[in-house]
Amino acid sequence: MEILVTGGMGYIGSHTCVQMLLEGMQPIILDNLCNSSKEVLIRIEIITGYRPIFYYGDIRDEKLLDNIFTKHYIKAVIHFAGLKSINESVNKPLEYYDNNVYGTLMLIRSMYKANIKNIIFSSSATVYGNPEKVPITEDFKIGNTKHPYGRNKYIIERYLSNIQHLDNSWSVTLLRYFNPIGAYPSGIIGEDSHYEPNNLIPYISQVAIGRKKKLIIFGNDYPTSDGTGIRDYIHVMDVADGNIMALKSISLKPGLHIYNLGSGRGTSVLEILKIFEKICNKKIAYEIRSRRPGDIAECWSNPIKAKSDFGWTAKHSIETMLVDTWRWQCKNPYGYKQLLDKFNLNI
């Protein structure tokens, strides 16, 4: 089964492609490498024994999309491609609307021409904004987002939902992720963002490895057990498996399918810090600062719908997620770029 995977060289995309290959599927990767590396192809081949077909290009390139859909017998699209830095989206909102929203419009238009009507969209819990209560279920109100990145996800969700409403032969699956972290267990692939990390786990691991001096904790006066924010963390391998299970069970069935992919439990910033210190066997310097605008106290999921509909549940503990993060960081202290430079790899 050939599946177009947009953004398949990125963090979640690369882990999903590995799992697809190990299950006998054929991912066709399209990526412009704006936040990924050509080295990923080598790493995927090391793990699976196969190098997937890769197209270097942009989802806004309609001619390229048309060509891919003509050359391959593609059954569905898993759509990961998109800019994803919250901070950058605030400073460069037009770039985010152009790349993420307009890019999705081009993708859907090309899919229409090729008569491909099955798509899984990589959405986010940010569409829920500041929920009135937790845990969050899929029927909660969405749209009260605090930044352009979240609004991008909300707009794309509404657009895809409208497409399915107008043509009920479409299968549209919206997977709302809650803070993916971790790495492939061997440490061969992991998260290597080109952005300055603004999420907790990449930042804390860079402090632990010595790339940064200290962790900044924004707010210790939230109405939580220790005053720091609580989030729902999920292993990237669980996210990858969720995409594949949804693809097999749900995405080829016409309809609008919406699911939370989360662990169903929350962990505070200070809890993460203490666990990570034990794993890396060192004290991690940190500084408490005031809350950031738009940050919320708690955000964690009720993922029971995915378990009920297609048998998915998060399998990995928070300790395992952080162990795998640290293994990746230790083996790749400067990410993929280090090996590309060292061996002058040219793919």
Side-chain angles (χ1 to χ4, degrees), residues 1 6 64 81 87 176 199 244 265 275 283 286 293 340:
M1 182 191 302
T6 71
L64 175 59
N87 288 348
R176 295 169 179 166
N199 294 329
I244 293 171
R265 57 187 178 272
I275 296 170
K283 296 297 289 184
Y286 69 93
L340 283 170

Side-chain angles (χ1 to χ4, degrees), residues 107-150:
L107 174 62
I108 295 299
R109 189 157 75 177
S110 188
M111 288 176 66
Y112 251 118
K113 287 185 285 185
N115 198 34
I116 298 168
K117 298 184 178 182
N118 306 309
I119 185 168
I120 297 176
F121 173 56
S122 177
S123 191
S124 167
T126 58
V127 298
Y128 294 115
N130 189 356
E132 294 182 359
K133 60 180 181 178
V134 288
I136 297 169
T137 57
E138 290 85 351
D139 59 357
F140 273 34
K141 181 181 178 181
I142 65 171
N144 185 26
T145 53
K146 303 297 182 182
H147 39 70
Y149 169 74

